[in-house]
Amino acid sequence: WGDEGKGKAPDLLGDQIDYCVRFNGGNNAGHTIVIEDEKYAVHLLPSGVLTPSVTPVIGNGVVIDLGVLFGEIDMLQQRGIDTSRLIVSANAHVIASYHRTIDKVGERFLGKAKIGTTGRGIGPAYSDKMSRVGVRVQDLFDEKILRQKVEGALLPKNQLLVKIYNRAAIDTSAVVTELLEYAERLQPMVQDTSLLLNNALDRGDTVLLEAGQATLLDVDHGTYPFVTSSNATAGGACTGSGIGPTRIERVIAVVKAYTTRVGAGPFPTELEDADGEKLRVIGAEFGTTTGRPRRCGWYDAVIARYAARVNGVTDFVLTKLDVLSDFDTIPVCVGYRLPDGSVIDEMPMTQTDFHHAHPVYEEFPGWREDISEAREFDDLPKNARKYIEALQDMSGAPFSVIGVGPARDQSLL
């Protein structure tokens, strides 16, 4: 569900890649990266921005809150990180102030039926994109076009705000003025990123396409409607970047040694007991973007296999194994018992069955040792190695990296 420590994987690959491209989502995604004693939290910027040799790119599939983007750039620059290499797609859509307003009042209006969005305007921006009334980055460089687009987008929204939500109408000129304030600073960063990336591949450069969110938050393949508003799966990498599917050679998925999610929706292995709280505390399981406490549970091999299938995963990065070092016994979900009594080992076809699924566990002995200093697989305790090997057999693809702590060097290749 997107909380797997995913920022670490592209950061580890930094020296092997030339371009790091965000292809979906917006600032509802959070990537935390630890380098030596420094911790960096980015939301819109690709993780590759922290590697001097990498060109970071925000692709056409991303929705961009420009205030957040420049806030992140300024934050990194103040900490001595060079962000001058950043390139932004001319076709990426912009999150305007009215998207955030609609998001927040809409969630409040839903009450108990709310989805649990971050309130950052992501869903409404994607809705406008699909309704063909969205504002794109390139529109900021033509004031006449920009005003027409904002007027068109606000016409139905102001009716909704005034007549349904009992809120004040939003002024077109105020929105246009706010967006135009970013245009001069933004323009030097903007390129045709599809052309840029395909030319890079033709030269033999290595391009890493980095998702926000995760498989079970994908709008098509996730736990709908408790999902994000974009395609976070590997197929979305093509549409969100303008790179054809035949050019993708490897699909690396990030999975945690236990399971968490933020927000509402089904979660079969969720623990609402002392073990769940223990995972939350030891793992510091609070959202990078929202700060919300994450719901915690045991590893779910069923959803790992599902992710391997729908993404065509070639290898997994397993993160946060060290968090499990304080448990005597570690259960792993190997299947689900459905309300009719049947047991399945694949994702249920319907949301109803998934919502009512009860996990079937296989238990593994813990290791009760600090593993944060391990740098080779053989450095791990015997029970930790057995746990990893069992998960690998269940998960549908080999593990290429094991994370034993948050720092860049706390990884077993």
Side-chain angles (χ1 to χ4, degrees), residues 199-213:
N199 284 343
L201 289 170
D202 290 342
R203 290 194 304 269
D205 291 346
T206 301
V207 176
L208 177 73
L209 304 163
E210 177 185 25
Q213 291 84 42

Side-chain angles (χ1 to χ4, degrees), residues 109-131:
F109 187 77
L110 288 172
K112 290 182 179 179
K114 67 183 180 180
I115 295 168
T117 77
T118 60
R120 286 161 168 77
I122 311 298
Y126 276 115
S127 294
D128 277 5
K129 177 177 179 175
M130 294 306 175
S131 299

Side-chain angles (χ1 to χ4, degrees), residues 116-363:
T117 77
T118 60
R120 286 161 168 77
I122 311 298
Y126 276 115
S127 294
D128 277 5
K129 177 177 179 175
M130 294 306 175
S131 299
R132 291 158 294 182
V133 293
V135 173
R136 297 193 291 178
V137 164
Q138 60 183 277
D139 299 328
L140 271 65
F141 313 128
D142 186 327
E143 185 174 350
K144 182 179 178 182
I145 290 290
L146 178 62
R147 184 171 295 275
Q148 288 176 356
K149 291 203 169 188
V150 173
E151 283 178 349
L154 282 178
L155 201 61
K157 288 179 178 59
N158 277 335
Q159 295 290 317
L160 183 68
L161 285 168
V162 173
K163 296 181 179 179
I164 304 297
Y165 295 141
N166 196 29
R167 296 285 296 260
I170 295 171
D171 179 59
T172 297
S173 293
V175 174
V176 171
T177 299
E178 180 186 357
L179 291 176
L180 286 175
E181 288 175 354
Y182 298 112
E184 184 177 354
R185 186 177 180 187
L186 181 64
Q187 192 157 22
M189 307 174 185
V190 178
Q191 291 190 35
D192 179 343
T193 52
S194 173
L195 178 63
L196 172 84
L197 296 172
N198 278 281
N199 284 343
L201 289 170
D202 290 342
R203 290 194 304 269
D205 291 346
T206 301
V207 176
L208 177 73
L209 304 163
E210 177 185 25
Q213 291 84 42
T215 298
L216 291 181
L217 292 177
D218 185 278
V219 70
D220 283 289
H221 302 290
T223 48
Y224 190 89
F226 304 101
V227 293
T228 195
S229 302
S230 61
N231 289 113
T233 39
C238 297
T239 53
S241 65
I243 291 174
T246 56
R247 309 204 78 162
I248 293 181
E249 298 173 341
R250 188 174 177 189
V251 179
I252 303 164
V254 186
V255 67
K256 193 150 54 181
Y258 52 100
T259 308
T260 63
R261 81 169 295 176
V262 173
F267 181 178
T269 67
E270 182 174 11
L271 297 169
E272 299 184 77
D273 59 9
D275 281 342
E277 183 60 26
K278 191 174 177 180
L279 285 171
R280 185 178 300 113
V281 171
I282 297 173
E285 295 296 348
F286 299 89
T288 301
T289 297
T290 63
R292 291 183 290 184
R294 292 174 180 147
R295 301 157 63 192
C296 297
W298 301 119
Y299 189 92
D300 190 329
V302 181
I303 60 176
R305 281 196 303 277
Y306 176 70
R309 169 161 56 88
V310 300
N311 289 284
V313 171
T314 55
D315 53 299
F316 279 109
V317 172
L318 182 73
T319 61
K320 303 187 83 165
L321 182 69
D322 53 300
V323 174
L324 298 180
S325 295
D326 205 32
F327 291 87
D328 292 319
T329 303
I330 305 167
V332 172
C333 175
V334 296
Y336 302 137
R337 189 177 304 280
L338 301 183
D340 64 4
S342 63
V343 175
I344 60 174
D345 60 4
E346 293 289 351
M347 281 286 283
M349 183 181 73
T350 67
Q351 179 81 348
T352 299
D353 277 347
F354 190 58
H355 182 76
H356 294 290
H358 288 276
V360 176
Y361 286 119
E362 183 176 335
E363 294 195 341

Side-chain angles (χ1 to χ4, degrees), residues 35-53:
I35 303 173
E36 295 178 351
D37 295 327
E38 293 289 318
K39 180 185 286 188
Y40 302 89
V42 293
H43 305 275
L44 267 172
L45 292 171
S47 301
V49 73
L50 297 174
T51 304
S53 59

